[in-house]
Amino acid sequence: MSLTAIIGGTGLTRLTQLEIQRREAPATPYGAPSSALTFGRLARRDFVFLARHGDPHTIPPHRINYRANLWALKQAGAEAVIAAAAVGGIGRDMGPGRLAIPHQIIDYTWGRASTFFEDGLDHVTHIDFTAPYNEHLRQRLIASARAAGLSVVDGGVYGCTQGPRLETAAEIARMERDGCDLVGMTGMPEAALARELELPYAACAIVANWAAGKSEGEITLAEIERHLARGMADFIELLICFAGSP
Ligand code: HPA
């Protein structure tokens, strides 16, 4: 039976629905992953869960060891990766509480260790990244959301910012002109590293707030937490359907 990895983001530090079998804290050539790996079952499917920001949630987006995380999941035998991603909504239909399965990425991050292909190479490697998310896995996530009775947006351009601060209104206006529908801080280099390891990867974006300048007033942590709690509950429903699907 194949093993599916879940990377939990802000609002999803533990996957309490898993029937836990074991935990492992693997070493990798890149150091330790953000958290121990939790192996378990959900609806008779095998999963391995990793908390992207650590457990407890203490690692900010720019300090996450993305290489160790992806390496550890690959080494554990994962055959696909589903990433949960808290985001701000930019596009008109991306209001708080929305679930979206993005299809494209624009990377605005800098200074992150973003490739496995840099040291000790016998040839320079350029992965194809035209479609950053695995289309088959994306469609399975969309079908699972619909089977769970959830409304989900098929597609969206995810803009990945450096953080940990939120964006200015002008930065969001520029991202909108660039074509971004969603803004988050952790989608890259995660997606690219998964591709380098030939791990099919797709994300479920959970909209926590309107992005800067898209609604009146400041963005508050209380607002983010409130919408994320609801969105993550929906994401779990999606996962349960995914786990039960053939
Ligand atoms: N910007 C970037 N990342 C985020 C946001 C946001 O507004 N909300 C949740 N993650």
Side-chain angles (χ1 to χ4, degrees):
M1 175 65 100
S2 73
L3 180 66
T4 305
I6 308 294
I7 302 182
T10 301
L12 189 67
T13 298
R14 290 184 189 173
L15 194 55
T16 50
Q17 292 73 9
L18 271 191
E19 191 188 308
I20 296 175
Q21 293 167 324
R22 66 184 199 282
R23 285 186 217 276
E24 277 176 21
T28 82
Y30 304 95
S34 297
S35 75
L37 303 186
T38 303
F39 294 81
R41 303 203 113 200
L42 186 63
R44 301 210 309 268
R45 192 180 284 271
D46 292 320
F47 288 94
V48 51
F49 179 82
L50 174 101
R52 187 190 280 120
H53 296 275
D55 180 8
H57 183 282
T58 52
I59 311 171
H62 64 297
R63 287 279 179 83
I64 290 167
N65 190 338
Y66 295 95
R67 291 195 299 188
N69 288 353
L70 272 298
W71 190 273
L73 294 174
K74 176 80 177 184
Q75 196 173 250
E79 289 176 18
V81 179
I82 299 172
V87 297
I90 300 176
R92 207 191 297 254
D93 53 349
M94 298 296 189
R98 218 52 171 131
L99 293 190
I101 312 297
H103 74 297
Q104 274 296 335
I105 296 177
I106 300 179
D107 187 6
Y108 299 90
T109 66
W110 47 270
R112 301 184 179 187
S114 58
T115 181
F116 292 111
F117 297 140
E118 56 185 5
D119 293 319
L121 302 177
D122 42 8
H123 59 276
V124 174
T125 304
H126 302 285
I127 54 160
D128 175 73
F129 204 46
T130 308
Y133 297 106
N134 178 276
E135 189 55 26
H136 178 66
L137 190 54
R138 259 184 25 78
Q139 291 306 331
R140 285 181 66 198
L141 294 183
I142 291 163
S144 303
R146 292 190 175 144
L150 299 166
S151 138
V152 64
V153 181
D154 175 356
V157 178
Y158 174 109
C160 190
T161 57
Q162 178 72 356
R165 67 167 177 83
L166 295 168
E167 300 69 36
T168 66
E171 285 169 337
I172 293 297
R174 181 184 73 160
M175 291 177 75
E176 188 168 29
R177 288 193 298 278
D178 284 353
C180 294
D181 303 294
L182 304 160
V183 55
M185 300 177 189
T186 56
M188 285 294 286
E190 196 171 270
L193 292 168
R195 179 63 52 84
E196 286 189 353
L197 294 178
E198 298 181 353
L199 273 171
Y201 176 96
C204 179
I206 297 112
V207 181
N209 54 282
W210 281 114
K214 288 282 154 192
S215 71
E216 284 160 27
E218 289 179 13
I219 300 166
T220 66
L221 209 57
E223 172 199 0
I224 290 183
E225 282 169 1
R226 184 160 45 85
H227 291 124
L228 268 188
R230 201 178 84 218
M232 286 301 167
D234 286 347
F235 174 67
I236 303 292
E237 294 300 313
L238 179 162
L239 261 192
I240 291 170
C241 275
F242 179 92
S245 67

